[in-house]
Amino acid sequence: MDVPQLISNAVPPWAAAVLFAVDLVIRLVALGTVPHNRRPSAAWGWLLVIFFFPIFGGLVFLVLGRSDLPEARKQKQREAAELVEGHGSGAQQLQQMPDWLAETVRLNRHNGAFPVVGGHRIEILDDYDASLRTMAEQIRGAEHYVHFEFYITVADPTTEPVIAALEDAHRRGVTVRVLLDHLGSAGYPGYKQLVRRLDAAGIDWRRMLPVRPWRGEYQRPDLRNHRKILVVDGTVGFTGSQNVIDRSYNKKKNRKKGLQWIGLVLRVEGPAVEHLDAVFATDWYCETDDMILDPDSVPERERDEEPAPGNLVCQVLPSGPGLAQESNLQLFNHLFASAKRRITVCSPYFVPEDSMYNSLRTAVGRGVQVHLYMGETSSHALTHHAQRSFYERLIKDGVQIFLYRAPYVLHSKFVLIDDEAAVVGSSNMDIRSFVLDHEINLMVAGRQFLSRLDDVVAGYREHSHELRLEDWLARPWYQKYLDNTARLTSALQ
C-alpha cells in the first residue's frame, strides 16, 4: 500500500475536505493581504513561506507580518517627539558644507533627525574592555544623573565595573535610570543576575518593548530597541555598536568556538549629548509614561561664555518603527549616490535591499572605490548565510570585500564617505535595522574624526583578508545551497 493511500485511509473524507478548504482559504486571503503597503520582494518572500506551509506560515505571518507598533505606543512617540522638538542649543551648521552633505542634513531633518550642530569633541573607543571601563569611570564621576540604555545588558565579570558604578552612583544620590531591551537581554547568561542587582539596589529601570502577554505587555516580538546610549549629567554621552556584555556574549557555543566580538563606541562632548539625552527621554516616556525632559524648563547654556569642547559637526539620527519609514535606508542610499571618491562600509550584517545594492553598484560604475568590511564568522547563522549570498555579485560588480578573520566577530557599524562625513552607530545594513529595530546613529563631519576612523579601518584591514572571486566560487556545494536558501528570508519584514 503506498503512502497517499495510507494517508487517505487514516484521514476521514470530511477532515480532508476541511483541510483542503482551510489551505485554499489561507492562500487566497494571503494573495490579497500580504502585499498591502509592502515592497514586492518582501511580499513574495512571505507568500513563498505561506504557499509552502499554509497553516504554519499563516500563523507566523499573523505574529511577525506587521512591522508596526501598537497605536498607543505610536501616540506616545508622537507626543514625546513634539515635546523634544528642537531640544538643545546650537544653530544649524550648513555653511561651508558640500552641497550633497547639506542635502543629507535636510533629508535627515525631514525624517526626524535633530538639527546639525557644531562644537563637538569625539573620542573613538575601539578597545572592547577598555570602553566599558571608560563608561564606568564616567558614571562614577556623575553628580546629577545617569541615563543608561542598551539593547543587551547583563551582569558578568567583564561588565562588573559598569554595573558596580551604576549601583555606586545610586547610593550617592545620583538619579540613575536604566533601560534594557527585554528580549535582546533576556536570552543571555547574566540577565537574571542583573535584574536582581538592579532591584536590590533600588535603581529605577525598565524593560524596553516587553513581551509579557500575561501582564498585558505585547507587541510584535521582533520589533526591538537596538539603541546604545549612555548620558552622564547631560555633558558627556556614549553611543555606538557595543553592548554591555562580555566579548564572548556568554554563550557556551561561542566560547567553545573562541568567538570574540569587536565593537566601537563614541565618547561625545558637545550639543549632540543633549540630543542623545532627548532620545533616551523619549524611550523612557514610552516605557513609563514619565516625561523626564521638559524643553521649556531646560536652561540655555551660555555658549558665548563657555568654549565649545571641539570643532566637529554632528547630527543625531534616531530611527525605528513609528518614525519616518526606512529613514536609515534613505540616508545610506543618498550617501552612496553622493560619494565622489570612496565608500567604506563596516557592518556585521550586510544584507542589502535592492535599492542599496543598486546604489553601490552604480557608485562603482562612476569610479567610486567601494570597500566592505564584514566578519568571516557570525553567531547568527541565517543572516550570515543570507549575507554571503550577495558576495559573488558584489565582487563581480567591482566591490572589494574584506573579511575580518575568525574567531573574531566584527560588530562595528559605520559608513565613511570620501573625506567629508561618517555615520557611526547601532544600525546594521539589513532590513531589520531599516524597518524593525529602533536605532541611533551619529553623522559626523570633520577631517580629524575621519582620519581617526581611517586608522580604525586600517587596523581592521590588517586582520582581514580580501575575498577573491575564484576562492569564493570554489566553496563547497552545501554552503552555496545554505547561502541561496537563506537569501529567500532576507526580504521578510
Side-chain angles (χ1 to χ4, degrees):
M1 186 178 293
D2 58 16
V3 173
Q5 188 174 353
L6 284 172
I7 294 175
S8 64
N9 290 339
V11 179
W14 66 266
V18 169
L19 288 174
F20 176 80
V22 170
D23 180 285
L24 181 61
V25 168
I26 291 174
R27 294 171 190 248
L28 291 175
V29 171
L31 281 174
T33 57
V34 170
H36 178 67
N37 287 337
R38 185 173 273 108
R39 63 166 57 91
S41 58
W44 277 116
W46 277 115
L47 288 173
L48 186 66
V49 173
I50 293 171
F51 270 65
F52 266 107
F53 313 101
I55 296 177
F56 173 76
L59 291 174
V60 172
F61 179 77
L62 289 177
V63 176
L64 302 180
R66 178 188 168 108
S67 58
D68 207 354
L69 292 167
E71 186 57 39
R73 189 178 184 93
K74 289 194 294 183
Q75 179 59 33
K76 280 187 178 181
Q77 288 189 171
R78 288 190 290 266
E79 293 173 4
E82 292 174 2
L83 286 172
V84 302
E85 175 64 26
H87 175 74
S89 53
Q92 292 209 11
Q93 305 287 315
L94 297 180
Q95 301 84 0
Q96 300 180 346
M97 277 188 180
D99 289 343
W100 67 265
L101 189 52
E103 291 172 357
T104 306
V105 169
R106 286 190 284 269
L107 172 65
N108 292 335
R109 283 291 286 155
H110 174 76
N111 286 336
F114 289 86
V116 61
V117 289
H120 295 89
R121 178 168 59 230
I122 300 178
E123 181 181 359
I124 298 176
L125 308 175
D126 58 346
D127 183 307
Y128 194 101
D129 291 357
S131 66
L132 293 174
R133 292 194 295 270
T134 300
M135 287 189 279
E137 181 181 356
Q138 197 71 51
I139 294 170
R140 288 191 179 279
E143 297 180 356
H144 305 293
Y145 68 86
V146 176
H147 289 162
F148 181 98
E149 173 180 347
F150 283 82
Y151 175 61
I152 299 174
T153 306
V154 303
D156 62 36
T158 301
T159 66
E160 177 59 27
V162 176
I163 308 305
L166 291 171
E167 293 170 330
D168 175 71
H170 178 72
R171 282 194 298 268
R172 291 188 289 108
V174 174
T175 299
V176 178
R177 299 183 177 96
V178 173
L179 289 172
L180 51 97
D181 187 81
H182 181 200
L183 298 188
S185 295
Y188 291 93
Y191 166 75
K192 292 181 180 179
Q193 293 90 324
L194 171 70
V195 168
R196 285 196 292 267
R197 288 181 63 171
L198 292 175
D199 286 338
I203 293 174
D204 198 2
W205 73 280
R206 296 292 190 282
R207 297 173 178 87
M208 295 187 290
L209 296 166
V211 180
R212 300 189 293 179
W214 58 93
R215 297 194 177 187
E217 299 171 343
Y218 184 80
Q219 52 272 315
R220 175 174 166 173
D222 60 340
L223 297 182
R224 309 315 316 157
N225 194 316
H226 196 240
R227 293 169 179 158
K228 291 89 175 170
I229 299 172
L230 170 63
V231 175
V232 177
D233 292 340
T235 58
V236 177
F238 296 81
T239 192
S241 67
Q242 188 173 317
N243 291 296
V244 182
I245 189 171
D246 182 79
R247 292 183 68 184
S248 68
Y249 274 49
N250 292 332
K251 294 290 185 73
K252 289 182 180 179
K253 63 179 181 179
N254 295 345
R255 288 174 173 163
K256 186 177 181 180
K257 296 177 181 178
L259 298 185
Q260 296 283 303
W261 266 247
I262 304 293
L264 195 71
V265 177
L266 303 183
R267 182 186 183 277
V268 184
E269 294 178 81
V273 176
E274 298 176 28
H275 298 162
L276 290 172
D277 216 9
V279 176
F280 176 92
T282 298
D283 290 339
W284 185 261
Y285 176 66
C286 286
E287 303 301 346
T288 67
D289 293 327
D290 178 21
M291 172 46 71
I292 58 176
L293 186 66
D294 182 359
D296 294 333
S297 65
V298 176
E300 288 288 332
R301 298 181 181 179
E302 297 295 332
R303 296 291 182 188
D304 294 336
E305 300 177 7
E306 181 181 322
N311 57 5
L312 295 175
V313 175
C314 300
Q315 187 175 30
V316 173
L317 316 170
S319 64
L323 302 176
Q325 184 70 12
E326 301 180 5
S327 59
N328 284 346
L329 178 60
Q330 294 181 42
L331 166 63
F332 292 130
N333 281 346
H334 175 73
L335 290 175
F336 297 158
S338 302
K340 300 296 188 294
R341 294 193 312 102
R342 62 156 178 160
I343 298 169
T344 301
V345 177
C346 181
S347 178
Y349 310 116
F350 183 82
V351 186
E353 184 266 350
D354 289 346
S355 64
M356 174 173 285
Y357 171 78
N358 286 325
S359 295
L360 288 174
R361 183 176 62 173
T362 303
V364 173
R366 298 196 321 268
V368 177
Q369 180 188 69
V370 179
H371 287 177
L372 299 183
Y373 285 82
M374 296 170 286
E376 189 177 58
T377 187
S378 171
S379 62
H380 293 278
L382 189 62
T383 306
H384 187 60
H385 279 287
Q387 170 178 293
R388 285 159 50 100
S389 72
F390 288 89
Y391 290 173
E392 179 181 342
R393 290 306 314 164
L394 287 167
I395 296 172
K396 287 182 177 179
D397 288 331
V399 175
Q400 291 179 266
I401 297 176
F402 300 91
L403 299 180
Y404 203 100
R405 290 186 174 87
Y408 295 98
V409 178
L410 186 58
H411 197 249
S412 302
K413 310 156 198 277
F414 59 80
V415 170
L416 278 165
I417 303 296
D418 297 338
D419 294 320
E420 301 292 344
V423 177
V424 185
S426 67
S427 180
N428 297 307
M429 293 288 181
D430 63 4
I431 202 67
R432 163 165 293 283
S433 282
F434 297 150
V435 177
L436 305 179
D437 286 344
H438 291 80
E439 305 284 3
I440 186 73
N441 290 306
L442 193 67
M443 189 170 76
V444 185
R447 298 294 175 88
Q448 177 186 0
F449 181 80
L450 272 291
S451 177
R452 174 69 181 94
L453 203 51
D454 277 333
D455 292 339
V456 173
V457 173
Y460 292 170
R461 179 73 172 268
E462 291 179 4
H463 293 88
S464 304
H465 66 90
E466 184 174 357
L467 187 61
R468 304 292 182 183
L469 182 60
E470 57 271 21
D471 297 331
W472 186 243
L473 294 178
R475 73 194 190 280
W477 69 267
Y478 63 87
Q479 292 187 8
K480 297 177 182 178
Y481 182 86
L482 290 173
D483 296 342
N484 294 334
T485 303
R487 184 176 182 138
L488 295 175
T489 69
S490 64
L492 296 183
Q493 61 185 56

